[in-house]
Amino acid sequence: MPATINRRVLLKSRPVGEPKPTDFEIVEAPTPRPADGEILCRTIWLSLDPYMRGRMNDAKSYSPPVEIGGHMVGGTVSEVVDSRHPAFQPGDIVLGYGGRQSYHVAKAGATPGPFGPLKLDPKAAPISTALGVLGMPGMTAYVGLLDFGQPKPGETVVVSAAAGAVGSAVGQIAKIKGCRAVGVAGAPEKCEYVVKELGFDACVSYRAPDLFAALKDACPKGIDVYFDNVGGDVLKTVLRQINLFGRIPLCGHVSQYNATELPAGPNLGVVVGNRVTIRGFIVSDHADRLPDFRRDGTAWLKAGRLKYREDIAEGLENAPRAFIGMLRGQNVGKQLVKVGAADPTRG
Amino acid sequence: MPATINRRVLLKSRPVGEPKPTDFEIVEAPTPRPADGEILCRTIWLSLDPYMRGRMNDAKSYSPPVEIGGHMVGGTVSEVVDSRHPAFQPGDIVLGYGGRQSYHVAKAGATPGPFGPLKLDPKAAPISTALGVLGMPGMTAYVGLLDFGQPKPGETVVVSAAAGAVGSAVGQIAKIKGCRAVGVAGAPEKCEYVVKELGFDACVSYRAPDLFAALKDACPKGIDVYFDNVGGDVLKTVLRQINLFGRIPLCGHVSQYNATELPAGPNLGVVVGNRVTIRGFIVSDHADRLPDFRRDGTAWLKAGRLKYREDIAEGLENAPRAFIGMLRGQNVGKQLVKVGAADPTRG
């Protein structure tokens, strides 16, 4: 039986610049009860992702903002603890969008909605991967690189935030497709991880005294694809080395998520001369690619061609701190919060 | 028989910033003689285009720079005055790439190369249109708008340099495709021309005290396609009003062609959130679309649906001044130089 108390992380105030722990508030509320056709889910894993920073602003974006006093959104992997839908049984593991709380109720339709609930098979892969390498970040890498980056064997693919959940998948898929994969990351240990563990050909620190020269060394034949999720100076520097008909899938601008004023961007003259395509995308528009991604991603994972790391914060009370750290780039791999219940796929 | 003197405009010095008349030099040289398979052409019309500014710099671009002492490049419509190729006769009118000179020799292959010589039919359309509305500028508008802008009926298309050779065609093709066409231009008389003569729905001056508000008034449903050939502030302002899945074909950056340092560009955060595609292109990559363009362009011209103006400088000696003026935006419509020989399609 579920506990009667639901712990929730609420947005207390809209951050100015970098979020502070005091912008969040943890409250206790009664555990909700499922109505007919609904299931009650107890959170095992909570996903933390950069896009959530955007939801904290009172600004028009591709999704509405979180209200002050509302609970922070987020993908979750949960255990079903009560079901009023015939297709779900207590003990089932589901992917959903429960947000930063220990329990949530989800409406279970005949087909899962864009945010679930989707029943997971704990035998197929560790269930936490449904939030990472086999989930939204992995699919962002897959769609962005393959559909918009269109890498050809022998080309050079550069990816920023290379040690993160999306970036680490981008580089490995680039290698699978026969490309030279070059990461950009911050700390030396991230660069080392990306090259030694993930098999990238090179990784450059954006803190290098001469980023242009470092990137040039790592990309002797120029850059054909730049998968960008940070924007800022790295994008400017890459544009100075982009090849003819280069492609730049753009899925985030994390370098400015905490900015109070939007900085200027790169000069786009080279985009004309070199016939470059810059393509902004949001993975949720591309649900039609989900079956392909699941098939390929699962196969690559099993074959050891797609590796991943998880950076795990323990307990919902540590979610705000882990989230702030992630925006600073302190995580390596997928940032998760272990919220509470046991994970049947781990010891 | 051809005159024995060929007048040529040479590049005397590389301009710093805006070109000066003294950066050019007019010299007289012997008229060249055609070898076997070649034709001698006497220039009637010379095209002046913004891209030529780039060729004056000693910088890597999509085409090599003009050498100091070399003659300025450019598209030409000429009369054949001597032929050593069976397919061409004296009196034929040809489109070519003779540059800023009164005579040039062209190698006539079985099929015309990317720069001709291509025999024109003076009965089909005024021969000067082969450099403008039915030539490279018109085809730039056609390919950029249709292939990369992909306008759908009811959408709003904005085009910069709207009174220029490319921009005026973009807006009219947008209207033909059922779109709202909004121009951006400088002088009030250009805006008036674009709306009253060319049938754009609105035209905004980039000198407006509040460009954002003026554009907003002209585009109440936001902007779906922005055909850009100037870059700079207009691009920044448009990006603040771009709709979801907006498309931005980029074929020039004339606002910075005279810049000695590249200015910063627009912040690209919105490109992610609104899933915008920015696509740089050069029309010469898309020769496969030439038959389609010729068919549609000629039909639209005959039906009065594609109007144009020409801004004509008289005499090769006025080419430098007209070129400098064009870069300042002083021309309306296609900038041409009437070099000398008679045009059989004009009185």
Side-chain angles (χ1 to χ4, degrees):
Chain A
M1 281 304 297
T4 51
I5 297 301
N6 182 25
R7 300 185 76 206
R8 321 180 75 203
V9 179
L10 307 185
L11 179 63
K12 196 172 171 192
S13 50
R14 302 212 180 276
V16 179
E18 182 175 65
K20 299 180 299 295
T22 52
D23 291 324
F24 304 94
E25 177 178 33
I26 299 193
V27 301
E28 300 193 339
T31 298
R33 306 182 62 164
D36 261 359
E38 292 183 337
I39 57 177
L40 177 63
C41 304
R42 177 164 62 184
T43 312
I44 304 172
W45 296 104
L46 164 68
S47 180
L48 296 180
D49 301 277
Y51 75 85
M52 296 166 179
R53 176 65 185 83
R55 305 288 178 89
M56 300 174 76
N57 293 337
D58 188 17
K60 196 185 148 194
S61 176
Y62 54 91
S63 294
V66 174
E67 298 296 323
I68 297 287
H71 88 279
M72 289 294 297
V73 294
T76 47
V77 168
S78 309
E79 178 189 1
V80 176
V81 289
D82 192 3
S83 172
R84 296 190 61 185
H85 189 285
F88 293 85
Q89 308 303 325
D92 282 351
I93 304 293
V94 292
L95 172 68
Y97 202 70
R100 297 190 196 170
Q101 53 186 345
S102 44
Y103 288 90
H104 75 280
V105 152
K107 194 168 192 71
T111 50
F115 297 122
L118 175 76
K119 217 186 282 190
L120 297 175
D121 175 7
K123 294 195 190 77
I127 58 174
S128 60
T129 58
L131 297 172
V133 67
L134 293 183
M136 183 272 282
M139 183 157 160
T140 300
Y142 184 89
V143 168
L145 180 64
L146 300 184
D147 295 1
F148 304 127
Q150 301 182 356
K152 290 182 270 298
E155 288 191 331
T156 298
V157 173
V158 173
V159 59
S160 54
V166 175
S168 58
V170 168
Q172 293 179 87
I173 299 173
K175 289 301 296 176
I176 289 168
K177 295 297 175 184
C179 298
R180 178 174 177 82
V182 175
V184 179
E189 50 278 21
K190 288 189 183 180
C191 291
E192 194 180 308
Y193 160 64
V194 154
V195 172
K196 294 203 175 154
E197 269 190 61
L198 302 183
F200 285 42
D201 296 285
C203 189
V204 167
S205 173
Y206 60 77
R207 300 173 194 154
D210 185 344
L211 177 59
F212 182 87
L215 203 56
K216 192 110 187 153
D217 275 351
C219 306
K221 293 186 191 168
I223 298 166
D224 299 292
V225 180
Y226 175 47
F227 189 110
D228 189 23
N229 39 41
V230 304
D233 285 340
V234 180
L235 177 56
K236 285 181 203 177
T237 308
V238 165
L239 274 175
R240 294 170 59 203
Q241 301 183 34
I242 195 84
N243 284 338
L244 284 181
F245 301 101
R247 290 132 270 155
I248 304 184
L250 214 64
C251 78
H253 245 60
V254 73
S255 69
Q256 70 184 36
Y257 285 175
N258 285 334
T260 47
E261 280 190 36
L262 290 186
N267 186 284
L268 296 182
V270 68
V271 171
V272 180
N274 283 9
R275 296 82 142 174
V276 173
T277 302
I278 300 177
R279 175 68 144 88
F281 76 100
I282 305 281
V283 67
S284 52
D285 294 330
H286 305 281
D288 58 308
R289 292 283 274 149
L290 195 57
D292 296 330
F293 163 64
R294 288 241 170 84
R295 181 198 61 228
D296 290 343
T298 308
W300 293 333
L301 195 71
K302 281 192 178 154
R305 305 181 77 185
L306 190 56
K307 295 173 186 154
Y308 65 97
R309 266 200 205 176
E310 294 169 336
D311 206 322
I312 296 170
E314 290 287 340
L316 206 53
E317 63 278 12
N318 284 314
R321 198 182 323 173
F323 178 66
I324 294 165
M326 181 192 63
L327 291 174
R328 288 182 187 165
Q330 289 171 353
N331 58 310
V332 176
K334 173 64 199 170
Q335 182 65 57
L336 292 171
V337 179
K338 181 78 163 61
V339 174
D343 177 345
T345 59
R346 305 206 183 199
Chain B
M1 280 304 297
T4 52
I5 297 301
N6 183 24
R7 301 185 75 208
R8 319 180 77 204
V9 180
L10 307 184
L11 179 63
K12 195 172 172 192
S13 51
R14 301 211 180 276
V16 178
E18 182 175 66
K20 299 181 297 296
T22 51
D23 291 325
F24 304 95
E25 177 178 32
I26 299 194
V27 300
E28 298 192 339
T31 297
R33 305 182 61 163
D36 262 358
E38 293 183 337
I39 56 177
L40 176 64
C41 305
R42 177 165 60 184
T43 312
I44 304 172
W45 296 103
L46 164 68
S47 180
L48 296 180
D49 302 277
Y51 76 85
M52 297 166 178
R53 176 63 185 85
R55 304 287 179 89
M56 299 176 76
N57 293 338
D58 188 18
K60 196 185 147 193
S61 177
Y62 55 91
S63 294
V66 174
E67 298 297 325
I68 297 287
H71 88 280
M72 290 293 297
V73 295
T76 47
V77 167
S78 309
E79 178 189 2
V80 177
V81 289
D82 192 3
S83 172
R84 297 190 59 186
H85 189 284
F88 293 84
Q89 308 303 325
D92 282 351
I93 304 293
V94 292
L95 173 68
Y97 202 69
R100 296 190 196 171
Q101 52 186 346
S102 44
Y103 288 90
H104 75 280
V105 151
K107 195 169 192 68
T111 52
F115 297 122
L118 174 76
K119 218 186 283 190
L120 297 176
D121 176 6
K123 294 196 190 75
I127 59 175
S128 60
T129 58
L131 297 172
V133 67
L134 293 183
M136 183 272 281
M139 181 154 162
T140 300
Y142 184 89
V143 168
L145 180 64
L146 299 185
D147 294 2
F148 304 128
Q150 301 182 356
K152 290 182 269 299
E155 287 190 331
T156 298
V157 173
V158 173
V159 59
S160 53
V166 175
S168 59
V170 168
Q172 293 179 87
I173 299 174
K175 289 300 297 176
I176 289 169
K177 296 296 176 184
C179 298
R180 178 174 177 83
V182 175
V184 179
E189 49 278 23
K190 288 189 183 181
C191 292
E192 194 181 310
Y193 160 64
V194 154
V195 172
K196 294 203 175 153
E197 270 190 61
L198 301 183
F200 284 42
D201 295 285
C203 189
V204 167
S205 173
Y206 59 77
R207 300 173 193 154
D210 186 343
L211 177 59
F212 181 87
L215 202 55
K216 191 110 187 153
D217 275 352
C219 306
K221 292 186 191 168
I223 298 166
D224 300 291
V225 179
Y226 175 47
F227 188 110
D228 190 22
N229 39 41
V230 304
D233 286 339
V234 180
L235 177 56
K236 284 182 202 175
T237 307
V238 164
L239 274 175
R240 294 170 59 203
Q241 301 183 31
I242 194 86
N243 284 337
L244 285 180
F245 301 101
R247 286 87 65 201
I248 305 185
L250 214 62
C251 79
H253 246 59
V254 73
S255 69
Q256 69 184 36
Y257 286 175
N258 284 333
T260 47
E261 279 190 36
L262 289 186
N267 186 284
L268 296 182
V270 68
V271 171
V272 181
N274 283 10
R275 295 85 141 173
V276 172
T277 302
I278 300 177
R279 175 68 144 86
F281 76 101
I282 306 280
V283 67
S284 51
D285 294 330
H286 304 282
D288 58 308
R289 292 284 273 150
L290 194 57
D292 296 329
F293 163 63
R294 288 240 171 85
R295 181 198 61 228
D296 290 343
T298 309
W300 292 333
L301 195 71
K302 281 193 177 150
R305 305 181 78 185
L306 191 55
K307 295 172 185 154
Y308 65 97
R309 266 201 207 175
E310 294 170 336
D311 206 322
I312 296 171
E314 291 288 340
L316 206 53
E317 64 279 12
N318 284 314
R321 199 184 319 173
F323 179 65
I324 293 165
M326 180 192 64
L327 290 174
R328 287 181 187 166
Q330 289 171 352
N331 59 309
V332 176
K334 172 64 198 170
Q335 182 66 58
L336 293 171
V337 179
K338 181 79 164 58
V339 175
D343 177 345
T345 59
R346 304 204 183 200

